[in-house]
Amino acid sequence: MYTTTKNQIIINDLSQFNILQILKSGQIFSYDIVGDKYYVYSADKKAIVNQTQKMCVIQTDDVDYFVNFFDLNKDYNNDKMQILEKYPNLKEIVEFGYGIRLLNQDKLEMFITWVISANNNIPRIMKAVKYIRVNAGEKKQDYYTFPTLEKLKELDEKFFIGAGCGYRSKQLKKLIDSLSMKTIEEYDKLNTFDLKKKLESLSGIGSKVADCIMLSAYKKADVFPVDTWIEKMFHTYFNSKENNRNKIREELVNTFKNYSSYVQQLFFYYMLNNK
DNA sequence: GCCCAGGGATGCG
DNA sequence: CGCATCCATGGG
């Protein structure tokens, strides 16, 4: 579905890639839209995405990184078929987010970002992450990198309050103190159950934030983060009054199994962008 | 002024 | 275990 050159990725199959849908599906908080160009930032890297009716061109200094970032070796059309075969009533939702893909993002950046996301809204999450990049990151040509863990450890609670993180600032400071790059990488070896227990033991990370980190940074497919939007969706589309989010999550994961994370993104995108 | 946003920590039974 | 309450911040 794609070809590469030294500093370009060219996508011809737009039946399963739409950059605007990907950016608006709530899995990434570091990007800028300028005119018809999309600037995507991950850790210390940048990609410029230009999508037209016929093709999509991604410009970057690190082609391999963004091939993995956009999960380009996965066939999402096959997943859609498998999902619709079993759940034909999801047709509208699957087609609405036809171009969504699950991003493989930077682990450290996701730890920090998802803790900030708790009981927050997307514009303010983006604003806080940008503040952290601009005031603690390293300036590249025309953007700022996400700070290294070493740099994050130098920041105090006041810095995060200044970033607009509110009462999560204390949790962030405590979380950062407890992290090491070694353990962050070693978590990669754990299965979903064990990884979730580890993540939930960290400051600022509960059930939902753990699910989001596992979805966006650890390639876990059998997770279904339940936030306020998914809860509303569950009440509407599953005709339920259940308000225990852990019970909702359990039922959804039992239903969608290894398609859980993908279906969750499709639902979230539909809830926020439809009408 | 109230309610809400991709919830988590804490305490209490 | 389940449950209630509190937590900061800004927009609608």
Side-chain angles (χ1 to χ4, degrees):
Chain A
M1 81 164 271
Y2 70 95
T3 58
T4 60
T5 66
K6 187 171 182 300
N7 52 15
Q8 277 191 338
I9 306 166
I10 297 132
I11 300 168
N12 292 306
D13 178 11
L14 297 184
S15 71
Q16 51 172 314
F17 187 101
N18 182 297
I19 185 62
L20 191 54
Q21 289 181 16
I22 291 169
L23 297 181
K24 295 291 184 182
S25 64
Q27 40 180 333
I28 176 168
F29 301 91
S30 286
Y31 65 87
D32 288 315
I33 301 177
V34 181
D36 56 353
K37 287 186 178 174
Y38 305 88
Y39 295 79
V40 178
Y41 314 106
S42 176
D44 61 342
K45 302 177 190 306
K46 180 187 82 170
I48 305 173
V49 183
N50 210 325
Q51 180 157 359
T52 65
Q53 299 275 339
K54 290 186 175 175
M55 63 189 290
C56 179
V57 178
I58 301 170
Q59 295 180 303
T60 173
D61 290 337
D62 198 332
V63 165
D64 290 343
Y65 183 85
F66 280 100
V67 165
N68 178 59
F69 182 86
F70 286 110
D71 209 18
L72 295 182
N73 289 318
K74 184 176 171 71
D75 181 6
Y76 281 89
N77 283 340
N78 184 53
D79 281 35
K80 291 177 202 166
M81 280 170 50
Q82 303 286 339
I83 292 165
L84 289 180
E85 201 169 296
K86 230 176 156 183
Y87 306 100
N89 55 332
L90 294 185
K91 190 164 187 286
E92 185 184 345
I93 287 157
V94 169
E95 288 182 351
F96 187 74
Y98 70 90
I100 289 174
R101 312 180 70 80
L102 300 183
L103 302 179
N104 295 311
Q105 303 192 64
D106 180 73
K107 295 180 175 65
L108 174 62
E109 186 170 357
M110 290 302 99
F111 274 86
I112 307 303
T113 302
W114 287 116
V115 168
I116 295 171
S117 81
N119 197 23
N120 211 334
N121 58 57
I122 291 176
R124 286 189 51 227
I125 300 163
M126 293 181 70
K127 196 175 168 187
V129 173
K130 188 163 201 167
Y131 182 99
I132 293 170
R133 280 181 170 272
V134 171
N135 292 283
E138 186 186 335
K139 185 166 174 55
K140 294 274 190 180
Q141 309 86 34
D142 59 344
Y143 70 103
Y144 293 87
T145 64
F146 194 83
T148 62
L149 180 57
E150 189 181 5
K151 176 65 183 174
L152 288 172
K153 284 177 185 291
E154 293 174 7
L155 306 172
D156 57 8
E157 185 185 342
K158 276 190 178 174
F159 174 86
F160 293 105
I161 291 173
C165 299
Y167 61 80
R168 305 168 203 86
S169 302
K170 189 169 288 186
Q171 300 167 0
L172 280 168
K173 176 66 185 149
K174 197 174 171 190
L175 169 69
I176 290 163
D177 282 342
S178 73
L179 288 176
S180 78
M181 291 311 292
K182 187 165 183 246
T183 57
I184 289 174
E185 289 305 328
E186 281 177 350
Y187 286 161
D188 226 358
K189 300 172 186 165
L190 300 178
N191 63 38
T192 301
F193 184 82
D194 292 339
L195 177 55
K196 182 153 186 173
K197 278 204 293 187
K198 281 283 186 190
L199 294 177
E200 285 180 324
S201 74
L202 301 173
S203 178
I205 302 179
S207 177
K208 188 268 178 183
V209 167
D211 282 344
C212 284
I213 293 172
M214 292 196 289
L215 187 158
S216 62
Y218 287 96
K219 303 187 182 190
K220 298 303 185 191
D222 53 342
V223 296
F224 208 116
V226 178
D227 69 332
T228 165
W229 295 103
I230 295 296
E231 184 176 345
K232 285 173 193 165
M233 176 278 291
F234 193 76
H235 293 164
T236 306
Y237 291 89
F238 289 71
N239 195 22
S240 163
K241 288 182 178 177
E242 181 60 62
N243 58 5
N244 182 315
R245 291 189 181 181
N246 276 322
K247 285 184 180 172
I248 294 173
R249 175 181 50 75
E250 247 178 70
E251 185 167 339
L252 288 167
V253 172
N254 285 336
T255 302
F256 294 107
K257 299 188 169 56
N258 278 332
Y259 296 110
S260 293
S261 60
Y262 183 40
V263 172
Q264 194 272 354
Q265 285 301 132
L266 290 168
F267 268 121
F268 187 82
Y269 178 73
Y270 185 83
M271 289 298 291
L272 261 70
N273 296 282
N274 186 34
K275 71 184 180 283

